[in-house]
């Protein structure tokens, strides 16, 4: 399969992930301001809670396989910041899978913490791509972190896709645990 096709597919997933992240952020703001989830949205939130553990697992798993495709099939050389993001993403996929299989939801907090750090790393990495002259790169000059192996639509790069995946973990892990907490109380 051509790299452009895979990149387009992953970019479309990115757009969907960012839409989910923005909707979740809006719900959090509404909840903080009003103290409740708006009535018409509450049933949807309940439905999403039921699939939240799977969605939390799916996001880093797709990101992991996407990064493996880019490095092992497309032969894109990961930069140092890409390796850091992989270091944070791959265990998240594995731990969230184990959490679901063993029905140990509290295990999901570790991938949540890794994803919070990953949001910062991917944001920094994307900023370095956007404004390379503002950063003193610690990356290899032969493979700089400011390089763009993927640049779909002029803004979807590998770090932006990683940001979306980390964001989904940060949305779905608390949502799944919140649903579990409310169900048991």
């Amino acid at each position: 399969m051509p790299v452009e096709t895979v990149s387009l597919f992953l970019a479309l997933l990115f757009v969907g992930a960012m839409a989910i992240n923005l909707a979740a952020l809006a719900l959090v703001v509404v909840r903080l301001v009003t103290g409740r989830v708006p009535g018409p949205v509450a049933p949807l939130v309940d439905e999403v809670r039921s699939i939240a553990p799977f969605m939390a697992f799916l996001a880093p798993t797709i990101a992991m396989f996407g990064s493996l495709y880019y490095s092992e099939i497309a032969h894109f050389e990961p930069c140092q910041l890409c390796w850091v993001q992989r270091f944070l993403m791959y265990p998240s996929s594995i731990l969230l899978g184990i959490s679901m299989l063993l029905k140990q939801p509290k295990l999901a907090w570790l991938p949540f913490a890794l994803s919070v750090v990953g949001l910062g790393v991917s944001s920094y990495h994307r900023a370095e791509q956007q404004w390379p002259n503002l950063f003193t790169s610690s990356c290899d000059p032969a493979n700089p972190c400011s390089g763009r192996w993927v640049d779909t639509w002029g803004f979807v790069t590998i770090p932006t896709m990683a940001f979306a995946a980390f964001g989904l973990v940060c949305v779905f892990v608390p949502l799944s645990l919140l649903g579990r907490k409310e169900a048991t109380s």
Side-chain angles (χ1 to χ4, degrees):
M1 185 173 292
V3 173
E4 295 79 21
T5 304
V6 172
S7 294
L8 178 61
F9 174 72
L10 293 173
L12 290 169
L13 288 177
F14 161 79
V15 170
M18 288 310 294
I20 291 168
N21 286 327
L22 291 172
L25 181 61
L27 279 175
V28 166
V29 170
V30 168
R31 174 100 188 237
L32 289 173
V33 171
T34 66
R36 61 183 180 81
V37 174
V41 179
L44 176 62
V45 171
D46 290 337
E47 288 297 319
V48 172
R49 278 186 187 140
S50 67
I51 62 166
F54 178 72
M55 296 301 289
F57 163 74
L58 189 61
T61 302
I62 290 172
M64 178 176 68
F65 284 114
S67 72
L68 288 171
Y69 170 84
Y70 284 134
S71 62
E72 301 304 316
I73 296 172
H75 304 290
F76 294 172
E77 184 70 30
C79 70
Q80 291 178 0
L81 288 173
C82 287
W83 280 115
V84 172
Q85 289 166 94
R86 287 176 177 208
F87 175 77
L88 298 166
M89 189 75 70
Y90 290 13
S92 295
S93 174
I94 294 164
L95 289 169
L96 287 164
I98 292 170
S99 173
M100 277 191 329
L101 287 173
L102 298 180
K103 298 185 184 340
Q104 295 294 323
K106 291 188 183 208
L107 182 59
W109 283 115
L110 180 55
F112 175 83
L114 292 172
S115 293
V116 169
V117 174
L119 284 171
V121 173
S122 58
S123 296
Y124 177 84
H125 191 181
R126 183 61 178 101
E128 188 165 323
Q129 284 182 330
Q130 190 66 34
W131 303 287
N133 295 335
L134 295 179
F135 296 89
T136 54
S137 180
S138 60
C139 277
D140 179 359
N143 186 22
C145 294
S146 60
R148 294 186 191 192
W149 287 99
V150 173
D151 193 359
T152 307
W153 305 315
F155 71 96
V156 180
T157 65
I158 292 172
T160 56
M161 290 186 277
F163 180 89
F166 287 128
L168 287 175
V169 172
C170 289
V171 166
F172 285 118
V173 165
L175 186 60
S176 69
L177 295 175
L178 174 64
R180 182 175 281 288
K181 182 179 174 185
E182 288 178 358
T184 59
S185 49

